[in-house]
Amino acid sequence: MTIPTAGHGAAYPWLAHYDPGVPASLAPYPHRTLLDYVSDGARERPQYPAFFFKGRPFTIAELERTSDAFAAALASLGVKRGDRVAAMLPNCPQYFIVEFAVWKLGGIFAPLNPIYTEDELAGPLATIDANVVVTLSSFYERLKKVQPHTPVKRIVTTNIKEWFPPFLSILFTLFTEKKDGYRVSHRDGDLAMADLLARFDGKRSLETPPAPEDIAILLMSGGTSGTPKCVMGEHQALVMSGLQLQAWFGESIVPWESVYMMPLPLFHSYGACAVQSICFIGHNPISLIPNPRDLDDIVSNIAKVKPTAFAGVPTLYNGLLNHRRVRSGRVSFDSLKVCASGAAPLLAETKKRFEEVTGAKILEGYGLTESLIAACVNPVKGESKIGSVGMPVPDVFVRIVDADDPLKEMPLKTEGEMLLRGPQIMKGYWRHPQESSEMIFTDAEGVVWLRTGDLAYMDEEGYVFLVDRKKDLIKANGMQVWPRELEEAIATYPGVMEVGVRGFQDPAHGEIAVAFVVMKPGTTATERDIREYCKKHLAFYKVPAKVVFRTELPKSLVGKVLRRLLTLDAPAANEELKTRAASSP
């Protein structure tokens, strides 16, 4: 890979606008895995917390001991080097115990969305070809139903309460455990994780640790086609992404000191490749939030652990702004210094309001599961340009090309498809060579690029501006209309809390743009109000043909509005779509 030097200013304009102290390159990268960094921490400060869960600190020594024991347990079940172990777990200590145990065996960890339906589980489990699945006990019966259609031979269950603080564990046992299906009766040789940890406590696997070049993780992604596939992430890719982002955040996240709150699911690349990598490399405790929709829990944990950094998505920032304790000023955000926003476009109005309320800076970034997340981020100290996802982080390169010809590079400020390259970008999809070749291509100079499927442009300072997904483009009367541009405009209308725009076929116009709007509690607007407002801020052909009001928009578990599930059906019919949306990655 070519590393830029001072003479590359014209080709890499972003380098001149890096914050002081951020290097152009971090090469050569250390030949290490995240396991090595955790082992360092266990030697240096074994009683320091690796993460917090429901107010309980979980030490680095505990993580080492329990993952050692579970690695030995998995080995006793026949798991060996190169095998895949799947997990259906929320953000909890068990997630890291299983992940590190699998890695200590030289295996491949495959986290799945815990609220996948039976139909949605069958395909990934067959592709992953995992013999063992570790799951929260409340998901056990769902897995048992789908198990006959998969290679899964053994299911290991764990109860969410196993690492609760004592008093909370008692309350959970009395009032929640049975009612919500956490008590299970094992069959077919299935086992409990707690029993395995007790049986193998003090034991370790004799397997040789994985090499940095080995596959560490399989992450679900729709790619540019929308069909679920498994991205192969190497151990060294996780380290590279973590080091790139650690260098970018600089003194905002202090090793061995700053707490990083993680309300987003760890099975998503945002948590798996960015947050956990930054935190294990820098020995920064992670505040785990099991349910990203539980705003009460998030607000309470902000008060308890006083995080320095926060990982969020636009809908989560909107939700916090409208939380009763935030609106009344009864919760302090004073500890927050930096917040990251990704997974979906951050509307300018959301960024402005959150920064005014908290005093913390939101850095919008951009990455793909296929890029192992690190790609573009706005600078911490430098200018955050409205509408920009920032600039490439060290050792990541962006090229804007013709949407129909990836070999034709576009001039600055000209829209085209964004290509990425960097040392951590995926090597392909697990067992999907054809789809891999469609995402990754080599240019005339022999340089390997990743196709993103996103349309963007770059300005003269190297800031990247997303236009929209290629597949979401609306052609109204032959004119190009980008949903995000409409969403940005409508979000500034007083009282609008959320908005999503998609196109629908129309016999007279080819396609029309329809805006789906959620108003804040206590506020109202009419379709005419929104359309008249758009006429003042948008060209006439961009004004939505229809405005539909909803109480909620269909979203993925990470809070991304799922445009494909926005429907003109009655709200009652939309309830089913919202349920389906919850399981989308």
Side-chain angles (χ1 to χ4, degrees), residues 227-268:
T227 304
K229 297 172 286 291
C230 296
V231 169
M232 295 185 287
E234 299 170 329
H235 283 280
Q236 63 185 358
L238 298 180
V239 171
M240 289 169 174
S241 288
L243 290 171
Q244 289 166 357
L245 292 170
Q246 186 185 58
W248 194 261
F249 285 112
E251 60 191 28
S252 298
I253 301 178
V254 181
W256 291 108
E257 182 178 319
S258 301
V259 176
Y260 205 131
M261 180 165 281
M262 185 59 195
L264 303 180
L266 285 162
F267 67 77
H268 189 271

Short mmCIF file of all heavy atoms in Angstrom, two decimals, residues 227-268:
data_model
loop_
_atom_site.label_atom_id
_atom_site.label_comp_id
_atom_site.label_asym_id
_atom_site.label_seq_id
_atom_site.Cartn_x
_atom_site.Cartn_y
_atom_site.Cartn_z
N THR A 227 -28.56 -8.28 0.13
CA THR A 227 -28.65 -9.68 0.53
C THR A 227 -27.65 -9.96 1.65
O THR A 227 -26.46 -9.68 1.49
CB THR A 227 -28.33 -10.60 -0.66
OG1 THR A 227 -29.22 -10.27 -1.73
CG2 THR A 227 -28.50 -12.05 -0.29
N PRO A 228 -28.08 -10.51 2.80
CA PRO A 228 -27.16 -10.72 3.93
C PRO A 228 -25.99 -11.63 3.58
O PRO A 228 -26.16 -12.68 2.97
CB PRO A 228 -28.07 -11.37 5.00
CG PRO A 228 -29.44 -10.93 4.65
CD PRO A 228 -29.47 -10.85 3.15
N LYS A 229 -24.80 -11.18 3.93
CA LYS A 229 -23.57 -11.94 3.73
C LYS A 229 -22.68 -11.71 4.95
O LYS A 229 -22.91 -10.81 5.73
CB LYS A 229 -22.85 -11.47 2.45
CG LYS A 229 -23.65 -11.71 1.18
CD LYS A 229 -22.99 -11.07 -0.02
CE LYS A 229 -23.17 -9.54 -0.01
NZ LYS A 229 -24.55 -9.13 -0.23
N CYS A 230 -21.63 -12.54 5.07
CA CYS A 230 -20.72 -12.45 6.22
C CYS A 230 -19.41 -11.81 5.79
O CYS A 230 -18.68 -12.38 4.96
CB CYS A 230 -20.45 -13.83 6.81
SG CYS A 230 -21.89 -14.63 7.50
N VAL A 231 -19.09 -10.66 6.35
CA VAL A 231 -17.82 -9.99 6.10
C VAL A 231 -16.74 -10.66 6.94
O VAL A 231 -16.90 -10.85 8.15
CB VAL A 231 -17.91 -8.50 6.46
CG1 VAL A 231 -16.53 -7.85 6.46
CG2 VAL A 231 -18.84 -7.78 5.50
N MET A 232 -15.63 -11.00 6.29
CA MET A 232 -14.50 -11.59 7.01
C MET A 232 -13.59 -10.49 7.53
O MET A 232 -13.01 -9.74 6.74
CB MET A 232 -13.72 -12.54 6.09
CG MET A 232 -14.50 -13.76 5.62
SD MET A 232 -13.48 -14.91 4.66
CE MET A 232 -13.31 -14.01 3.11
N GLY A 233 -13.45 -10.40 8.85
CA GLY A 233 -12.56 -9.43 9.47
C GLY A 233 -11.38 -10.11 10.11
O GLY A 233 -11.54 -11.01 10.95
N GLU A 234 -10.18 -9.72 9.74
CA GLU A 234 -8.98 -10.31 10.31
C GLU A 234 -8.65 -9.68 11.67
O GLU A 234 -9.06 -8.57 11.96
CB GLU A 234 -7.79 -10.10 9.37
CG GLU A 234 -7.97 -10.74 8.00
CD GLU A 234 -6.91 -10.31 7.01
OE1 GLU A 234 -6.41 -9.17 7.14
OE2 GLU A 234 -6.56 -11.10 6.14
N HIS A 235 -7.90 -10.40 12.47
CA HIS A 235 -7.46 -9.87 13.77
C HIS A 235 -6.71 -8.56 13.58
O HIS A 235 -6.92 -7.58 14.31
CB HIS A 235 -6.57 -10.89 14.49
CG HIS A 235 -7.33 -12.01 15.12
ND1 HIS A 235 -7.96 -11.89 16.34
CD2 HIS A 235 -7.56 -13.27 14.70
CE1 HIS A 235 -8.54 -13.04 16.65
NE2 HIS A 235 -8.33 -13.90 15.67
N GLN A 236 -5.83 -8.51 12.58
CA GLN A 236 -5.04 -7.30 12.38
C GLN A 236 -5.91 -6.14 11.91
O GLN A 236 -5.62 -4.97 12.20
CB GLN A 236 -3.92 -7.55 11.38
CG GLN A 236 -4.37 -7.91 9.99
CD GLN A 236 -3.21 -8.26 9.07
OE1 GLN A 236 -2.05 -8.20 9.47
NE2 GLN A 236 -3.51 -8.63 7.82
N ALA A 237 -7.02 -6.43 11.24
CA ALA A 237 -7.92 -5.37 10.79
C ALA A 237 -8.57 -4.68 11.99
O ALA A 237 -8.74 -3.46 12.00
CB ALA A 237 -8.99 -5.93 9.86
N LEU A 238 -8.95 -5.47 13.01
CA LEU A 238 -9.54 -4.88 14.22
C LEU A 238 -8.52 -3.97 14.92
O LEU A 238 -8.87 -2.89 15.41
CB LEU A 238 -10.00 -5.98 15.17
CG LEU A 238 -11.09 -6.92 14.64
CD1 LEU A 238 -11.44 -7.97 15.69
CD2 LEU A 238 -12.33 -6.15 14.23
N VAL A 239 -7.27 -4.41 14.96
CA VAL A 239 -6.22 -3.60 15.58
C VAL A 239 -5.97 -2.33 14.77
O VAL A 239 -5.86 -1.23 15.32
CB VAL A 239 -4.92 -4.42 15.73
CG1 VAL A 239 -3.76 -3.52 16.17
CG2 VAL A 239 -5.12 -5.54 16.75
N MET A 240 -5.91 -2.47 13.46
CA MET A 240 -5.66 -1.30 12.60
C MET A 240 -6.76 -0.26 12.75
O MET A 240 -6.49 0.94 12.90
CB MET A 240 -5.55 -1.73 11.14
CG MET A 240 -4.29 -2.51 10.82
SD MET A 240 -4.36 -3.27 9.18
CE MET A 240 -2.70 -3.94 9.02
N SER A 241 -8.02 -0.70 12.71
CA SER A 241 -9.12 0.25 12.88
C SER A 241 -9.06 0.94 14.22
O SER A 241 -9.27 2.15 14.33
CB SER A 241 -10.47 -0.48 12.73
OG SER A 241 -10.71 -0.84 11.39
N GLY A 242 -8.77 0.18 15.27
CA GLY A 242 -8.67 0.77 16.61
C GLY A 242 -7.57 1.79 16.71
O GLY A 242 -7.74 2.87 17.30
N LEU A 243 -6.41 1.49 16.14
CA LEU A 243 -5.27 2.42 16.20
C LEU A 243 -5.55 3.68 15.38
O LEU A 243 -5.17 4.79 15.78
CB LEU A 243 -4.00 1.73 15.73
CG LEU A 243 -3.44 0.66 16.66
CD1 LEU A 243 -2.31 -0.10 15.99
CD2 LEU A 243 -2.95 1.29 17.97
N GLN A 244 -6.18 3.51 14.23
CA GLN A 244 -6.51 4.67 13.40
C GLN A 244 -7.44 5.63 14.16
O GLN A 244 -7.22 6.85 14.19
CB GLN A 244 -7.18 4.21 12.10
CG GLN A 244 -6.23 3.54 11.13
CD GLN A 244 -6.97 2.80 10.02
OE1 GLN A 244 -8.19 2.75 10.00
NE2 GLN A 244 -6.22 2.21 9.10
N LEU A 245 -8.47 5.07 14.78
CA LEU A 245 -9.44 5.91 15.49
C LEU A 245 -8.85 6.46 16.78
O LEU A 245 -9.16 7.59 17.18
CB LEU A 245 -10.71 5.11 15.76
CG LEU A 245 -11.51 4.76 14.50
CD1 LEU A 245 -12.61 3.77 14.82
CD2 LEU A 245 -12.10 6.01 13.85
N GLN A 246 -8.02 5.68 17.44
CA GLN A 246 -7.35 6.18 18.65
C GLN A 246 -6.48 7.39 18.33
O GLN A 246 -6.48 8.40 19.05
CB GLN A 246 -6.51 5.07 19.29
CG GLN A 246 -5.89 5.45 20.63
CD GLN A 246 -4.97 4.38 21.16
OE1 GLN A 246 -4.00 4.01 20.48
NE2 GLN A 246 -5.25 3.86 22.34
N ALA A 247 -5.74 7.31 17.23
CA ALA A 247 -4.91 8.44 16.81
C ALA A 247 -5.79 9.64 16.45
O ALA A 247 -5.44 10.79 16.73
CB ALA A 247 -4.05 8.04 15.60
N TRP A 248 -6.94 9.38 15.84
CA TRP A 248 -7.82 10.46 15.41
C TRP A 248 -8.41 11.21 16.61
O TRP A 248 -8.46 12.44 16.63
CB TRP A 248 -8.94 9.89 14.55
CG TRP A 248 -9.70 10.94 13.80
CD1 TRP A 248 -10.90 11.49 14.12
CD2 TRP A 248 -9.29 11.59 12.58
NE1 TRP A 248 -11.28 12.43 13.20
CE2 TRP A 248 -10.30 12.51 12.24
CE3 TRP A 248 -8.17 11.47 11.76
CZ2 TRP A 248 -10.22 13.31 11.10
CZ3 TRP A 248 -8.08 12.26 10.64
CH2 TRP A 248 -9.10 13.17 10.32
N PHE A 249 -8.86 10.45 17.62
CA PHE A 249 -9.47 11.08 18.80
C PHE A 249 -8.42 11.73 19.69
O PHE A 249 -8.74 12.65 20.45
CB PHE A 249 -10.28 10.06 19.60
CG PHE A 249 -11.60 9.71 18.97
CD1 PHE A 249 -11.83 8.45 18.45
CD2 PHE A 249 -12.60 10.65 18.88
CE1 PHE A 249 -13.04 8.13 17.86
CE2 PHE A 249 -13.82 10.35 18.30
CZ PHE A 249 -14.04 9.08 17.78
N GLY A 250 -7.19 11.26 19.63
CA GLY A 250 -6.10 11.89 20.38
C GLY A 250 -6.38 11.98 21.86
O GLY A 250 -6.83 11.03 22.50
N GLU A 251 -6.14 13.15 22.42
CA GLU A 251 -6.25 13.35 23.87
C GLU A 251 -7.70 13.38 24.35
O GLU A 251 -7.95 13.43 25.55
CB GLU A 251 -5.56 14.65 24.26
CG GLU A 251 -6.15 15.88 23.59
CD GLU A 251 -5.31 17.13 23.78
OE1 GLU A 251 -4.08 16.99 23.95
OE2 GLU A 251 -5.87 18.24 23.74
N SER A 252 -8.66 13.33 23.45
CA SER A 252 -10.07 13.29 23.87
C SER A 252 -10.41 12.00 24.60
O SER A 252 -11.31 11.98 25.46
CB SER A 252 -11.00 13.43 22.65
OG SER A 252 -10.80 14.66 22.01
N ILE A 253 -9.73 10.92 24.25
CA ILE A 253 -9.93 9.63 24.93
C ILE A 253 -8.59 9.22 25.51
O ILE A 253 -7.68 8.81 24.78
CB ILE A 253 -10.47 8.57 23.95
CG1 ILE A 253 -11.81 9.03 23.36
CG2 ILE A 253 -10.65 7.23 24.68
CD1 ILE A 253 -12.40 8.05 22.35
N VAL A 254 -8.46 9.34 26.83
CA VAL A 254 -7.18 9.12 27.51
C VAL A 254 -7.06 7.65 27.91
O VAL A 254 -7.95 7.11 28.59
CB VAL A 254 -7.07 10.00 28.76
CG1 VAL A 254 -5.73 9.79 29.46
CG2 VAL A 254 -7.27 11.47 28.39
N PRO A 255 -5.99 6.95 27.48
CA PRO A 255 -5.81 5.55 27.88
C PRO A 255 -5.84 5.38 29.40
O PRO A 255 -5.37 6.23 30.15
CB PRO A 255 -4.42 5.21 27.31
CG PRO A 255 -4.26 6.12 26.14
CD PRO A 255 -4.93 7.40 26.55
N TRP A 256 -6.42 4.28 29.85
CA TRP A 256 -6.53 3.92 31.26
C TRP A 256 -7.39 4.92 32.05
O TRP A 256 -7.37 4.92 33.26
CB TRP A 256 -5.16 3.84 31.93
CG TRP A 256 -4.31 2.71 31.49
CD1 TRP A 256 -3.19 2.77 30.72
CD2 TRP A 256 -4.47 1.31 31.82
NE1 TRP A 256 -2.65 1.52 30.53
CE2 TRP A 256 -3.41 0.61 31.22
CE3 TRP A 256 -5.41 0.60 32.58
CZ2 TRP A 256 -3.27 -0.78 31.33
CZ3 TRP A 256 -5.27 -0.77 32.69
CH2 TRP A 256 -4.20 -1.45 32.08
N GLU A 257 -8.15 5.75 31.38
CA GLU A 257 -8.90 6.75 32.12
C GLU A 257 -10.31 6.97 31.57
O GLU A 257 -11.29 6.81 32.30
CB GLU A 257 -8.12 8.08 32.12
CG GLU A 257 -8.77 9.20 32.89
CD GLU A 257 -7.93 10.46 32.90
OE1 GLU A 257 -6.69 10.37 33.04
OE2 GLU A 257 -8.51 11.55 32.75
N SER A 258 -10.42 7.34 30.32
CA SER A 258 -11.72 7.69 29.75
C SER A 258 -12.63 6.48 29.64
O SER A 258 -12.21 5.40 29.21
CB SER A 258 -11.54 8.32 28.37
OG SER A 258 -10.72 9.47 28.43
N VAL A 259 -13.91 6.66 30.01
CA VAL A 259 -14.93 5.62 29.88
C VAL A 259 -15.70 5.87 28.59
O VAL A 259 -16.12 7.00 28.31
CB VAL A 259 -15.88 5.62 31.08
CG1 VAL A 259 -17.01 4.59 30.88
CG2 VAL A 259 -15.12 5.32 32.37
N TYR A 260 -15.91 4.81 27.81
CA TYR A 260 -16.62 4.91 26.54
C TYR A 260 -17.97 4.21 26.69
O TYR A 260 -18.02 3.00 26.93
CB TYR A 260 -15.80 4.24 25.44
CG TYR A 260 -16.07 4.75 24.04
CD1 TYR A 260 -15.02 5.11 23.19
CD2 TYR A 260 -17.37 4.87 23.55
CE1 TYR A 260 -15.26 5.57 21.91
CE2 TYR A 260 -17.61 5.34 22.26
CZ TYR A 260 -16.56 5.69 21.44
OH TYR A 260 -16.80 6.15 20.17
N MET A 261 -19.06 4.96 26.58
CA MET A 261 -20.39 4.35 26.70
C MET A 261 -20.81 3.74 25.37
O MET A 261 -20.75 4.39 24.33
CB MET A 261 -21.43 5.36 27.18
CG MET A 261 -22.82 4.75 27.32
SD MET A 261 -23.97 5.79 28.26
CE MET A 261 -23.44 5.41 29.93
N MET A 262 -21.27 2.48 25.45
CA MET A 262 -21.63 1.73 24.24
C MET A 262 -23.07 1.26 24.31
O MET A 262 -23.36 0.13 24.74
CB MET A 262 -20.68 0.53 24.09
CG MET A 262 -20.87 -0.25 22.81
SD MET A 262 -20.65 0.80 21.36
CE MET A 262 -21.34 -0.20 20.08
N PRO A 263 -24.03 2.09 23.90
CA PRO A 263 -25.42 1.65 23.86
C PRO A 263 -25.78 0.90 22.57
O PRO A 263 -26.83 0.26 22.52
CB PRO A 263 -26.20 2.96 23.96
CG PRO A 263 -25.31 3.98 23.35
CD PRO A 263 -23.88 3.52 23.60
N LEU A 264 -24.94 0.98 21.56
CA LEU A 264 -25.24 0.32 20.29
C LEU A 264 -24.80 -1.14 20.35
O LEU A 264 -23.86 -1.49 21.05
CB LEU A 264 -24.52 1.03 19.14
CG LEU A 264 -24.84 2.52 19.00
CD1 LEU A 264 -24.08 3.11 17.83
CD2 LEU A 264 -26.34 2.74 18.84
N PRO A 265 -25.49 -2.03 19.63
CA PRO A 265 -25.20 -3.46 19.74
C PRO A 265 -23.81 -3.83 19.25
O PRO A 265 -23.36 -3.38 18.20
CB PRO A 265 -26.29 -4.10 18.90
CG PRO A 265 -26.76 -3.04 17.96
CD PRO A 265 -26.62 -1.75 18.70
N LEU A 266 -23.16 -4.69 20.02
CA LEU A 266 -21.81 -5.11 19.68
C LEU A 266 -21.76 -6.02 18.46
O LEU A 266 -20.70 -6.19 17.86
CB LEU A 266 -21.16 -5.82 20.88
CG LEU A 266 -20.71 -4.88 22.01
CD1 LEU A 266 -20.51 -5.66 23.31
CD2 LEU A 266 -19.42 -4.15 21.63
N PHE A 267 -22.89 -6.63 18.09
CA PHE A 267 -22.87 -7.47 16.89
C PHE A 267 -22.77 -6.62 15.62
O PHE A 267 -22.47 -7.12 14.55
CB PHE A 267 -24.12 -8.36 16.81
CG PHE A 267 -25.41 -7.61 16.60
CD1 PHE A 267 -25.77 -7.11 15.36
CD2 PHE A 267 -26.28 -7.42 17.66
CE1 PHE A 267 -26.96 -6.42 15.18
CE2 PHE A 267 -27.48 -6.74 17.48
CZ PHE A 267 -27.82 -6.24 16.24
N HIS A 268 -23.00 -5.31 15.74
CA HIS A 268 -22.89 -4.39 14.61
C HIS A 268 -21.43 -3.95 14.49
O HIS A 268 -20.70 -3.85 15.48
CB HIS A 268 -23.79 -3.19 14.85
CG HIS A 268 -23.92 -2.28 13.67
ND1 HIS A 268 -23.06 -1.24 13.44
CD2 HIS A 268 -24.82 -2.26 12.63
CE1 HIS A 268 -23.42 -0.60 12.33
NE2 HIS A 268 -24.47 -1.20 11.82
#
